[in-house]
Amino acid sequence: MTINLSNNYQALGDNFSEQTFPAPVAAPSLLLWNESLAKTLTIPFSQKDDAELITQYFSGNQLIEGSKPVAQAYSGHQFGNFNPHLGDGRAHLLGDIADTEGQRWDIQLKGSGVSSFSRQGDGRCALGPALREYVMSEAMFALGVPTTRCLAVVTTGENVYRERPFDGAVVTRVATSHIRVGTFQYFAARNDTDSLKKLTNYAINRHFPELLVEAQAAKTPNPDDKAIADDISSEQVLKFFSAVLSKQIPLVLSWLRVGFIHGVLNTDNTTISGETIDYGPCAMMNIYDSDTVFSSIDRDGRYAFGKQIGIMQWNMTRLAETLLPLVASDEDDAVAKIEPLLTQFHQDLQQGYLTMMAAKVGINTPEQGDAELLNDLLAIMQKQKLDYTHTFTALTNTLNNGQIEAPLNDVLNEWLPRWHARIEPFKAAAHTLMVSTNPVVIPRNHHVEALLASCQATGDLSGLHKFLAVLQQPYTEVTDTKHYQDAPVDGDESYHTYCGT
Ligand code: AMP
Ligand code: MG
């Protein structure tokens, strides 16, 4: 029984990462093991039969055979300010593994000890944030949002000191890669064009093998196992950038669809694969308000719910800047070539937003007047302080039973007939579309927090498992769904999230 790890990122060279071993922990104990993810990754362990081995491997106490752990180097704009020295300060990339479809995934321990990137940090992770990452990323996955996932949570038997001592944990994060906008910024900041080229080629191999010339791809059935080319054409770089942009569109639009607020959308927390990463201060919106912010450190609302499209464009512009030297030796030439892609990205996001929101009210192909219909709805929701998830569920149900409950009937009394008239010709299709677009349950902040608190206080995970089972089917009402649909009594008015470090 083995885990078939490769070390493709490690092979890029010493300037991409630092070789460093996870720091062993005192008394590891397995809390959560993601059995279905393990299966997808062809990891042949079950919690029932292999708990001891899983615990040893995913606490960092024992090295998986073939693993060459590293801390990855990256920079990043944090709240708009560039920090050239970030990198994995508490994470170890163990290696990468191919899933049943041949897609490769990075396996990374988080909370596994310090590296040269740790700065003042202790390299550790508290149990609460580790559980939160597990719950939120599993919920997002089931919601159809592109995301990194969690394979395991192991408690360490050691305390982690934040504002007070907490139980420590190591969480195993799985991502199609951990390449961030900040990874490109790291090399750009050092004027290291050769490494930028190598990184771009690596990213193409990993994420966009379709960009490799057909003949070349045909020769290498597993593109990750081939040597990464040193050089790259300007055309290929532009194609790569375009492909990265196209990955960010479904990402940010699905956040907006389900009411997710990332909370710390720094460039080091923006993957080029378009997966949600870093579940530190994230939260779900209750009452619709585009200015919603829960993060205690986001005082200016830079990462508010409704700003996420704009921030993604800002982050992609930072990525574009790093690629300029690869596009043309003359900067103006390079800008002239890359700018149209950002303009197109802007347009695609605007169009995509309209299409996504239209789908939430059952319209498959938005037409003239639909933007106004939607804006009017959102304006009512904001003014009347309506719950985002609940309102769309209620609208969906009207197509079944013709009824809408109070007070929605009252506040939407002028809007509802307009909407019903619009979708009348295709009501059945509208209903189907709405059912698959609007979740009936999301990981509401108050439920997440209550469950994390009780797990930590009692060590009993049964409530968490019940919650996770409901979150697995967010578009279907199962028996227990009703226990998790309620909006918080105070609208989460005093709810604050923290970076979770
Ligand atoms: P994050 O806020 O998780 O995106 O982390 C930002 C940066 O801080 C990254 O370079 C992390 O590796 C680093 N960092 C966060 N928490 C810790 C910690 N407890 N110990 C060391 N480094 C950390
Ligand atoms: Mg981060």
Side-chain angles (χ1 to χ4, degrees):
M1 280 211 315
T2 50
I3 301 179
N4 260 325
L5 281 189
S6 300
N7 298 281
N8 284 296
Y9 198 80
Q10 289 85 334
L12 285 174
D14 292 347
N15 49 340
F16 284 76
S17 54
E18 179 209 19
Q19 273 209 37
T20 171
F21 290 95
V25 300
S29 169
L30 179 61
L31 218 55
L32 291 169
W33 175 246
N34 193 333
E35 207 98 32
S36 78
L37 178 59
K39 243 185 216 124
T40 310
L41 297 175
T42 72
I43 296 178
F45 299 155
S46 75
Q47 187 156 8
K48 190 167 136 275
D49 298 331
D50 311 294
E52 184 50 32
L53 201 54
I54 295 172
T55 307
Q56 292 303 316
Y57 282 158
F58 298 101
S59 60
N61 276 17
Q62 190 177 324
L63 210 54
I64 297 169
E65 208 179 315
S67 166
K68 292 184 194 157
V70 291
Q72 289 173 284
Y74 54 85
S75 305
H77 274 92
Q78 300 180 301
F79 290 91
N81 304 308
F82 187 62
N83 186 341
H85 304 287
L86 291 172
D88 291 333
R90 54 164 172 168
H92 292 82
L93 172 66
L94 297 181
D96 54 274
I97 189 169
D99 69 15
T100 46
E101 317 257 278
Q103 167 68 51
R104 298 200 83 85
W105 295 83
D106 282 359
I107 310 281
Q108 188 201 62
L109 301 183
K110 187 167 154 187
S112 44
V114 291
S115 72
S116 68
F117 303 113
S118 300
R119 294 167 291 150
Q120 319 303 329
D122 59 2
R124 291 302 186 188
C125 179
L127 175 58
L131 290 174
R132 201 159 185 278
E133 172 147 354
Y134 190 103
V135 173
M136 291 305 294
S137 60
E138 278 307 287
M140 293 283 272
F141 177 73
L143 283 163
V145 181
T147 181
T148 60
R149 296 185 67 187
C150 288
L151 181 63
V153 175
V154 177
T155 52
T156 60
E158 294 174 4
N159 277 339
V160 171
Y161 296 90
R162 298 295 178 253
E163 57 278 17
R164 63 174 179 83
F166 289 93
D167 289 342
V170 175
V171 54
T172 303
R173 179 163 67 188
V174 168
T176 60
S177 86
H178 285 84
I179 306 173
R180 307 140 191 271
V181 170
T183 318
F184 283 82
Q185 291 181 296
Y186 179 85
F187 294 111
R190 285 156 183 79
N191 291 317
D192 184 352
T193 309
D194 287 344
S195 296
L196 273 172
K197 288 180 178 172
K198 216 168 173 183
L199 180 63
T200 309
N201 277 322
Y202 178 85
I204 290 174
N205 272 278
R206 174 61 75 92
H207 296 294
F208 312 110
E210 68 279 8
L211 297 187
L212 299 168
V213 247
E214 222 92 84
Q216 194 187 357
K219 268 191 265 159
T220 53
N222 179 359
D224 265 356
D225 284 347
K226 93 181 219 319
I228 300 300
D230 288 329
D231 211 0
I232 185 163
S233 70
S234 154
E235 194 190 19
Q236 197 70 337
V237 174
L238 292 170
K239 280 189 189 162
F240 163 72
F241 184 55
S242 203
V244 173
L245 295 178
S246 69
K247 290 281 186 193
Q248 310 306 321
I249 296 170
L251 174 68
V252 66
L253 293 182
S254 43
W255 291 346
L256 300 179
R257 177 172 60 81
V258 303
F260 177 78
I261 307 159
H262 184 288
V264 62
L265 209 40
N266 295 332
T267 58
D268 54 303
N269 292 333
T270 304
T271 58
I272 58 129
S273 62
E275 288 160 287
T276 312
I277 194 170
D278 210 322
Y279 283 90
C282 69
M284 302 304 295
M285 180 172 66
N286 300 294
I287 291 164
Y288 174 75
D289 182 348
S290 56
D291 290 335
T292 307
V293 174
F294 290 111
S295 167
S296 54
I297 54 167
D298 191 4
R299 296 219 170 77
D300 301 327
R302 179 182 171 86
Y303 298 137
F305 177 74
K307 294 220 176 111
Q308 298 182 107
I309 284 187
I311 284 295
M312 193 51 91
Q313 292 182 88
W314 194 89
N315 288 352
M316 287 301 118
T317 308
R318 303 290 80 77
L319 176 62
E321 286 162 0
T322 70
L323 297 175
L324 291 176
L326 275 53
V327 169
S329 47
D330 178 85
E331 195 174 298
D332 291 341
D333 278 357
V335 171
K337 282 188 172 145
I338 220 162
E339 222 161 35
L341 300 181
L342 284 166
T343 308
Q344 185 64 49
F345 183 50
H346 174 77
Q347 287 166 6
D348 291 347
L349 281 166
Q350 299 305 313
Q351 183 58 44
Y353 179 71
L354 176 61
T355 306
M356 181 280 288
M357 287 307 297
K360 283 182 82 68
V361 296
I363 298 168
N364 192 24
T365 321
E367 291 172 3
Q368 186 106 31
D370 287 340
E372 198 185 331
L373 184 72
L374 286 162
N375 286 338
D376 291 349
L377 173 64
L378 292 176
I380 298 168
M381 288 171 70
Q382 179 143 358
K383 183 150 178 265
Q384 302 292 338
K385 300 190 183 306
L386 301 184
D387 183 82
Y388 192 61
T389 303
H390 186 78
T391 303
F392 286 104
T393 303
L395 290 176
T396 309
N397 291 340
T398 64
L399 299 187
N400 252 350
N401 55 22
Q403 303 288 315
I404 196 157
E405 71 226 51
L408 290 179
N409 54 352
D410 209 16
V411 298
L412 293 173
N413 64 349
E414 279 175 28
W415 187 85
L416 277 175
R418 284 169 63 198
W419 172 56
H420 279 149
R422 172 70 177 95
I423 59 168
E424 186 54 41
F426 49 89
K427 228 165 136 182
H431 182 253
T432 309
L433 181 58
M434 288 177 79
V435 166
S436 63
T437 307
N438 299 310
V440 293
V441 64
I442 54 167
R444 298 230 186 223
N445 310 321
H446 64 292
H447 285 296
V448 174
E449 296 302 333
L451 282 164
L452 297 193
S454 81
C455 285
Q456 290 178 89
T458 65
D460 177 7
L461 296 183
S462 56
L464 192 70
H465 283 298
K466 196 170 130 191
F467 188 40
L468 282 168
V470 167
L471 294 173
Q472 296 298 326
Q473 300 186 68
Y475 300 97
T476 315
E477 299 217 17
V478 295
T479 319
D480 285 328
T481 306
K482 56 180 180 292
H483 302 307
Y484 306 105
Q485 286 175 303
D486 57 312
V489 203
D490 67 347
D492 275 346
E493 236 170 74
S494 51
Y495 181 59
H496 296 295
T497 57
Y498 303 89
C499 250
T501 56

